[in-house]
mmCIF file of all heavy atoms in Angstrom:
data_model
loop_
_atom_site.group_PDB
_atom_site.id
_atom_site.type_symbol
_atom_site.label_atom_id
_atom_site.label_comp_id
_atom_site.label_asym_id
_atom_site.label_seq_id
_atom_site.Cartn_x
_atom_site.Cartn_y
_atom_site.Cartn_z
ATOM 1 N N SER W 41 -4.412 148.664 155.207
ATOM 2 C CA SER W 41 -3.371 148.294 156.162
ATOM 3 C C SER W 41 -2.103 147.879 155.439
ATOM 4 O O SER W 41 -2.162 147.195 154.432
ATOM 5 C CB SER W 41 -3.833 147.110 157.007
ATOM 6 O OG SER W 41 -4.542 147.586 158.093
ATOM 7 N N GLY W 42 -0.986 148.321 155.982
ATOM 8 C CA GLY W 42 0.287 147.899 155.413
ATOM 9 C C GLY W 42 0.727 148.728 154.220
ATOM 10 O O GLY W 42 1.713 148.394 153.575
ATOM 11 N N GLY W 44 1.867 151.720 154.354
ATOM 12 C CA GLY W 44 2.988 152.583 154.706
ATOM 13 C C GLY W 44 2.619 153.895 155.367
ATOM 14 O O GLY W 44 3.473 154.764 155.541
ATOM 15 N N LYS W 45 1.370 154.028 155.788
ATOM 16 C CA LYS W 45 0.949 155.286 156.425
ATOM 17 C C LYS W 45 1.741 155.546 157.698
ATOM 18 O O LYS W 45 2.296 156.623 157.900
ATOM 19 C CB LYS W 45 -0.544 155.243 156.766
ATOM 20 C CG LYS W 45 -1.435 154.870 155.628
ATOM 21 C CD LYS W 45 -2.888 154.783 156.061
ATOM 22 C CE LYS W 45 -3.172 153.682 157.071
ATOM 23 N NZ LYS W 45 -3.134 152.326 156.554
ATOM 24 N N SER W 46 1.772 154.526 158.572
ATOM 25 C CA SER W 46 2.486 154.710 159.842
ATOM 26 C C SER W 46 3.966 154.927 159.583
ATOM 27 O O SER W 46 4.605 155.747 160.238
ATOM 28 C CB SER W 46 2.311 153.490 160.739
ATOM 29 O OG SER W 46 0.963 153.316 161.033
ATOM 30 N N THR W 47 4.495 154.196 158.638
ATOM 31 C CA THR W 47 5.914 154.337 158.324
ATOM 32 C C THR W 47 6.224 155.781 157.948
ATOM 33 O O THR W 47 7.183 156.381 158.455
ATOM 34 C CB THR W 47 6.289 153.399 157.166
ATOM 35 O OG1 THR W 47 5.984 152.056 157.545
ATOM 36 C CG2 THR W 47 7.754 153.504 156.834
ATOM 37 N N ARG W 50 5.991 158.081 160.906
ATOM 38 C CA ARG W 50 7.105 157.946 161.834
ATOM 39 C C ARG W 50 8.420 158.422 161.220
ATOM 40 O O ARG W 50 9.403 158.554 161.933
ATOM 41 C CB ARG W 50 7.206 156.492 162.303
ATOM 42 C CG ARG W 50 5.959 156.082 163.076
ATOM 43 C CD ARG W 50 5.835 154.592 163.135
ATOM 44 N NE ARG W 50 6.818 154.033 164.016
ATOM 45 C CZ ARG W 50 6.641 153.885 165.318
ATOM 46 N NH1 ARG W 50 5.493 154.216 165.857
ATOM 47 N NH2 ARG W 50 7.581 153.401 166.078
ATOM 48 N N GLN W 94 -1.645 155.011 168.415
ATOM 49 C CA GLN W 94 -2.903 154.302 168.189
ATOM 50 C C GLN W 94 -3.589 153.922 169.497
ATOM 51 O O GLN W 94 -4.744 154.213 169.714
ATOM 52 C CB GLN W 94 -2.595 153.058 167.370
ATOM 53 C CG GLN W 94 -3.788 152.179 167.117
ATOM 54 C CD GLN W 94 -3.484 151.163 166.041
ATOM 55 O OE1 GLN W 94 -2.382 151.126 165.515
ATOM 56 N NE2 GLN W 94 -4.447 150.347 165.719
ATOM 57 N N ASP W 174 -1.450 158.715 164.986
ATOM 58 C CA ASP W 174 -1.551 157.445 164.266
ATOM 59 C C ASP W 174 -2.780 156.683 164.733
ATOM 60 O O ASP W 174 -2.775 156.085 165.802
ATOM 61 C CB ASP W 174 -0.278 156.615 164.498
ATOM 62 C CG ASP W 174 -0.171 155.481 163.496
ATOM 63 O OD1 ASP W 174 -1.178 155.183 162.832
ATOM 64 O OD2 ASP W 174 0.915 154.907 163.370
ATOM 65 N N GLU W 175 -3.813 156.751 163.958
ATOM 66 C CA GLU W 175 -5.087 156.111 164.316
ATOM 67 C C GLU W 175 -5.482 156.393 165.763
ATOM 68 O O GLU W 175 -5.667 155.457 166.543
ATOM 69 C CB GLU W 175 -5.008 154.612 164.070
ATOM 70 C CG GLU W 175 -4.756 154.270 162.625
ATOM 71 C CD GLU W 175 -4.638 152.779 162.412
ATOM 72 O OE1 GLU W 175 -5.383 152.044 163.068
ATOM 73 O OE2 GLU W 175 -3.802 152.356 161.613
ATOM 74 N N VAL W 204 -3.411 159.666 160.765
ATOM 75 C CA VAL W 204 -3.621 158.422 160.025
ATOM 76 C C VAL W 204 -4.932 157.842 160.522
ATOM 77 O O VAL W 204 -5.177 157.811 161.725
ATOM 78 C CB VAL W 204 -2.495 157.412 160.316
ATOM 79 C CG1 VAL W 204 -2.849 156.042 159.750
ATOM 80 C CG2 VAL W 204 -1.191 157.887 159.724
ATOM 81 N N HIS W 206 -8.145 154.762 159.744
ATOM 82 C CA HIS W 206 -8.773 153.717 158.943
ATOM 83 C C HIS W 206 -10.236 154.025 158.730
ATOM 84 O O HIS W 206 -10.913 153.376 157.962
ATOM 85 C CB HIS W 206 -8.661 152.367 159.674
ATOM 86 C CG HIS W 206 -7.436 151.638 159.284
ATOM 87 N ND1 HIS W 206 -6.577 151.104 160.202
ATOM 88 C CD2 HIS W 206 -6.912 151.392 158.078
ATOM 89 C CE1 HIS W 206 -5.576 150.552 159.559
ATOM 90 N NE2 HIS W 206 -5.752 150.713 158.277
HETATM 91 MG MG1 LIG P 302 -0.451 151.817 160.865
#
Side-chain angles (χ1 to χ4, degrees):
Chain W
S41 273
K45 308 177 295 288
S46 299
T47 301
R50 297 161 72 87
Q94 177 166 1
D174 195 346
E175 299 178 38
V204 170
H206 269 131

